[in-house]
Amino acid sequence: MILTEIDHIAIAVRDLQAAIDYYAEAFGAQVHHREVVESDGVEEALVKVADSYIQLTAATRPDSPIAKSIEKRGEGLHHVGYRVDNCADALAAMVAAGATPIDKVPRPGSRGTTVAFIHPKGSFGTLIELVQENRDDNS
Ligand code: CO
């Protein structure tokens, strides 16, 4: 088994602060990590649940994938992050199983991770992100 944990579920929201406030009020949730990923045009707030995260994600510009997703499908569940020990190996295994990669090679993700996205088409309709933690620079 290549997967080691559900790393995160990502929820696309219009107003990040409103979503953070709602999770705080409803669950007493505190933001564990907050980061703007300029290359992806997103700002995310991570709420830690055991060893997984809820990733509230908002667009920072109109052409970001999150903005386009909200425009098309509204707010809501955007992707699932599966934690793996080695992102490149997991990506190769998925491609061998017939998956369509969005990222042909792993790339840097938020909080110092290494990630690769897999297209929902061919993966039963779910956008999958493979997440490798790099413990040294993990916050
Ligand atoms: Co993600």
Side-chain angles (χ1 to χ4, degrees):
M1 174 63 164
I2 282 177
L3 308 182
T4 62
E5 184 69 75
I6 305 297
D7 187 81
H8 63 274
I9 55 167
I11 300 170
V13 303
R14 287 195 178 85
D15 183 337
L16 187 60
Q17 193 56 52
I20 291 168
D21 292 346
Y22 175 71
Y23 272 70
E25 193 175 341
F27 302 124
Q30 297 209 338
V31 173
H32 176 83
H33 179 79
R34 189 165 173 164
E35 182 172 342
V36 174
V37 184
E38 210 39 74
S39 53
D40 289 342
V42 302
E43 180 172 10
E44 48 182 65
L46 297 177
V47 170
K48 204 167 194 294
V49 182
D51 201 28
S52 301
Y53 300 94
I54 299 163
Q55 183 188 81
L56 303 169
T57 309
T60 57
R61 52 172 196 263
D63 66 337
S64 103
I66 292 293
K68 287 177 187 166
S69 175
I70 288 175
E71 203 175 293
K72 254 172 92 175
R73 289 177 291 271
E75 295 177 299
L77 195 56
H78 185 260
H79 65 270
V80 179
Y82 293 148
R83 193 175 304 156
V84 297
D85 286 332
N86 185 301
C87 190
D89 289 353
L91 178 60
M94 286 202 74
V95 169
T100 305
I102 294 170
D103 297 303
K104 301 264 192 286
V105 292
R107 62 181 177 86
S110 66
R111 70 189 160 89
T113 58
T114 300
V115 304
F117 279 90
I118 307 295
H119 202 283
K121 204 189 290 178
S123 291
F124 297 87
T126 300
L127 177 58
I128 293 172
E129 179 182 12
L130 300 169
V131 182
Q132 173 188 332
E133 288 195 318
N134 300 305
R135 290 280 177 186
D136 289 354
D137 47 16
N138 189 24
S139 61

